[in-house]
Amino acid sequence: MLQEIVISGFGGQGVLSMGKILAYSGMMEEKEVSWFPAYGPEQRGGTANVTVIISDEAISSPVVNQFDIAIVLNQPSLEKFESRVKPGGALIYDGYGIHKKVERTDINVFKVNAMDESMKMDNTRVFNMIILGGLLKISPMVELENVMKGLKESLPERHHKLLPMNEAAILRGMELVEQEQQAV
Amino acid sequence: MSEEIVLMKGNEAIAHAAIRYGVDGYFGYPITPQSEIIETLMEVAPWKTTGMVVLQAESEVAAINMVYGGAACGKYAMTSSSSPGISLKQEGISYMAGAELPALIVNVQRGGPGLGTIQPSQADYFQTVKGGGHGDYKLITLAPNSVQEMADFVGLAFELAFKYRNPAMILTDGVIGQMMEKVKLPAWQQRRSEQEIREQCPWATLGKTADRKPNIITSLELDSAAMEKNNERFQAKYRVVEATEVRYEEIKCDDADYLLVAFGSAARICQKTIDLARKEGIKVGLVRPITLWPFPTEVLYAYGGRVKGMLTVELNAGQMVEDVRLAVNGQIPVAHYGRLGGIVPTPEGVLAALKEKVVH
């Protein structure tokens, strides 16, 4: 198993922390993991992105150009990463942030209406966990149990009371996935 | 899973490894992309446990001179910075080489010249292995390619530095510093007692005892004849380091027709290129210098007689390629591929360059 994933959006959307939780989850499942952020000034206001790799074998390059899955949470991210999804791979987007259609027909496209849902839940801070739920539904690369362990590991103890809320958001995200397009 | 395995950034691994190794003092000044080193040290607060001093100096120049002072007392002293800050430290590094002081300097490189960018680069290769400061000196240089090696090389750097009484550098970059990977941190080691330091470092200025003359730590020697002797002693020491301490890794070289040569983050990218190339039937291997000085000259010379061509891959405009060409000594063509100014090459980009420049 080798999953090369990019998560990209505005700074503040929880892109880096979602990647971190995913990496921790992979580690809890005794997989090899790497997490490489674009740590540049784009973190502040522009697009932030992080590459997460989860693999059964040692990871060669933490920097890759082509992804199995791209999670794009705003329009600039779609423009940057649509062309870099491997044929047959998946692109996941949040309906709120994307206003142009995905043009490629050789990839699977999924919509997770995480922003709308997080507003319904009256808690926009779980936005990224809803997206994570969607990802895990589309590609169950790690067990939910290990995701929860990973979440616990990546959160400081004072935030552990927020774990049930995050789990609920992940589960909600799993229900929300809509497949918009199948690779032809 | 062992409890010792944790997920962290390369920069954080350096900080934790330093505390566990029993480092006596860290002196630094923040700069991206390595500020997590001093941030982690401040957060862990080792002065409360091991007694390690962590100090944010008023400048990079102050920090390197604090390291000089600590090292003169035989302490495990270190500093870290990124490219522009490392330039500021060059005077201190040259002085330490001249005074034969062991210390660790970490350079998490970013793109230059000048203030440049905060993104990863390997453009300080020349600065590190060809001088940097003034005078005929050499800096023991280790180039980690993983978060694990970031942790492991802290101890190795101090071992080598104290073995040869010479400053040592960990030369890494924003990729390895900022990325998170699994790491097994080194075992805890007690900080050395003053008695142990006196035994390990009879040259250290820890206060004169009745049975010896005063120890003097200086790089100054106004008598040219004596200064030439000092230089000859340094050079003799450098030849020993070159004969004994070369470290490198060979990946898929056994049946290789072509070789990639790369260090640090570039070597990781090249590993993926090897897989892509072999899928297309191009037999390529990788030699990864782990010590940049001393450089694996002999092994590269030997490969020069076996493979058809080499490509060095660097996050710079072509620096290590000069040392590879010197090593290969004209036996085969040696080309270079690099991206500049903070752009990181992709495995596919390296493959395209390999095909264009080397594979015929």
Side-chain angles (χ1 to χ4, degrees):
Chain A
M1 194 277 274
L2 170 69
Q3 288 282 357
E4 294 170 326
I5 302 157
V6 66
I7 310 167
S8 181
F10 284 121
Q13 275 181 314
V15 163
L16 298 182
S17 59
M18 176 184 164
K20 202 166 164 181
I21 291 160
L22 192 57
Y24 267 109
S25 309
M27 189 172 100
M28 293 300 146
E29 214 154 287
E30 310 218 358
K31 301 226 189 298
E32 298 301 323
V33 294
S34 75
W35 176 96
F36 177 59
Y39 61 88
E42 61 262 59
Q43 245 172 291
R44 295 172 189 92
T47 61
N49 71 73
V50 61
T51 301
V52 177
I53 304 178
I54 302 181
S55 174
D56 289 328
E57 285 163 40
I59 293 165
S60 53
S61 175
V63 181
V64 291
N65 191 41
Q66 300 274 307
F67 301 93
D68 298 298
I69 301 174
I71 299 172
V72 295
L73 302 176
N74 64 6
Q75 192 62 37
S77 301
L78 176 66
E79 278 153 25
K80 190 165 183 181
F81 291 110
E82 179 178 352
S83 64
R84 290 166 65 182
V85 179
K86 296 177 193 171
L91 186 140
I92 302 171
Y93 74 95
D94 167 50
Y96 195 83
I98 304 290
H99 43 85
K100 276 191 209 145
K101 265 190 95 69
V102 176
E103 283 173 11
R104 280 179 66 181
T105 53
D106 61 339
I107 57 175
N108 298 297
V109 180
F110 300 89
K111 180 161 85 171
V112 182
N113 268 333
M115 184 54 83
D116 286 347
E117 189 63 22
S118 68
M119 287 193 282
K120 268 187 225 162
M121 290 166 87
D122 204 21
N123 187 357
T124 49
R125 283 162 66 201
V126 296
F127 167 75
N128 61 348
M129 291 299 97
I130 300 174
I131 295 285
L132 179 62
L135 169 69
L136 294 170
K137 175 77 180 179
I138 293 156
S139 176
M141 58 190 83
V142 274
E143 299 285 340
L144 183 62
E145 175 198 355
N146 287 319
V147 175
M148 289 314 294
K149 277 192 209 162
L151 193 58
K152 200 169 168 183
E153 195 77 17
S154 65
L155 281 179
E157 214 162 312
R158 63 179 190 279
H159 292 318
H160 281 184
K161 58 178 188 296
L162 302 175
L163 288 171
M165 184 182 83
N166 282 289
E167 186 171 17
I170 291 170
L171 293 170
R172 189 72 191 112
M174 289 176 152
E175 295 166 3
L176 280 176
V177 176
E178 294 168 46
Q179 177 143 19
E180 289 219 322
Q181 178 197 301
Q182 203 130 20
V184 287
Chain B
M1 184 172 20
S2 158
E3 278 190 0
E4 285 284 310
I5 294 180
V6 285
L7 185 70
M8 62 172 64
K9 288 187 172 192
N11 288 336
E12 295 166 340
I14 283 192
H16 286 285
I19 299 168
R20 284 166 172 251
Y21 189 71
V23 169
D24 298 297
Y26 169 93
F27 310 91
Y29 189 83
I31 179 172
T32 306
Q34 63 82 56
S35 294
E36 291 87 355
I37 297 176
I38 189 166
E39 282 168 9
T40 304
L41 288 168
M42 287 296 179
E43 200 178 308
V44 178
W47 55 90
K48 293 179 188 163
T49 50
T50 71
M52 175 184 179
V53 170
V54 182
L55 196 144
Q56 179 175 331
E58 67 269 36
S59 72
E60 288 86 349
V61 177
I64 193 73
N65 285 293
M66 290 172 186
V67 169
Y68 184 111
C73 298
K75 302 280 188 184
Y76 289 152
M78 68 181 284
T79 185
S80 68
S81 191
S82 179
S83 309
I86 293 292
S87 291
L88 291 168
K89 292 180 194 289
Q90 291 303 331
E91 179 194 57
I93 294 170
S94 168
Y95 275 49
M96 279 195 284
E100 291 189 273
L101 288 177
L104 168 60
I105 302 115
V106 179
N107 181 2
V108 185
Q109 294 166 93
R110 57 189 249 181
L115 274 180
T117 172
I118 61 175
Q119 303 288 2
S121 169
Q122 296 181 325
D124 303 349
Y125 176 90
F126 279 154
Q127 183 195 54
T128 312
V129 305
K130 307 287 180 200
H134 56 282
D136 265 329
Y137 77 92
K138 290 289 183 186
L139 191 55
I140 296 166
T141 306
L142 302 171
N145 77 336
S146 63
V147 174
Q148 186 63 56
E149 286 192 346
M150 291 285 257
D152 294 344
F153 286 2
V154 170
L156 178 60
F158 274 111
E159 259 169 55
L160 294 173
F162 275 74
K163 185 171 171 189
Y164 296 102
R165 277 190 67 183
N166 203 72
M169 177 172 278
I170 293 179
L171 185 70
T172 181
D173 64 52
V175 174
I176 309 291
Q178 290 294 325
M179 72 185 281
M180 291 203 296
E181 280 185 320
K182 292 203 279 193
V183 55
K184 187 173 186 292
L185 291 172
W188 285 94
Q189 213 168 280
Q190 281 273 333
R191 277 179 59 233
R192 295 158 305 155
S193 66
E194 189 178 317
Q195 190 50 37
E196 284 167 326
I197 295 176
R198 280 182 188 277
E199 280 160 22
Q200 185 190 358
C201 313
W203 45 266
T205 49
L206 280 169
K208 191 183 106 53
T209 48
D211 57 345
R212 64 161 172 81
K213 287 186 179 160
N215 284 336
I216 297 169
I217 302 282
T218 180
S219 62
L220 180 69
E221 177 50 74
L222 292 174
D223 174 356
S224 291
M227 193 60 211
E228 185 177 45
K229 284 236 158 7
N230 284 352
N231 267 282
E232 284 166 359
R233 192 176 71 248
F234 302 158
Q235 293 301 322
K237 175 170 84 176
Y238 300 152
R239 298 297 89 76
V240 174
V241 176
E242 283 165 352
T244 355
E245 304 297 349
V246 172
R247 286 166 171 79
Y248 57 88
E249 184 186 12
E250 295 157 288
I251 296 172
K252 297 193 175 159
C253 290
D254 287 348
D255 64 343
D257 292 325
Y258 305 97
L259 271 196
L260 297 170
V261 186
F263 65 93
S265 59
R268 291 288 293 270
I269 293 157
C270 286
Q271 274 177 256
K272 183 131 188 142
T273 303
I274 290 175
D275 295 339
L276 298 175
R278 283 180 176 259
K279 271 184 202 151
E280 295 186 18
I282 305 168
K283 286 185 188 162
V284 57
L286 169 71
V287 171
R288 173 174 76 96
I290 294 172
T291 49
L292 300 181
W293 186 82
F295 193 71
T297 302
E298 281 172 29
V299 69
L300 287 167
Y301 178 78
Y303 276 114
R306 274 185 45 193
V307 301
K308 297 175 191 161
M310 292 186 192
L311 180 73
T312 75
V313 180
E314 308 171 57
L315 278 66
N316 62 40
Q319 299 194 12
M320 183 180 68
V321 63
E322 294 191 3
D323 286 332
V324 177
R325 284 187 182 135
L326 279 173
V328 166
N329 204 13
Q331 298 174 89
I332 49 163
V334 177
H336 165 265
Y337 173 68
R339 295 298 302 269
L340 312 177
I343 301 288
V344 179
T346 62
E348 291 83 357
V350 175
L351 179 59
L354 182 72
K355 287 194 221 167
E356 185 201 321
K357 299 183 179 202
V358 180
V359 179
H360 296 294

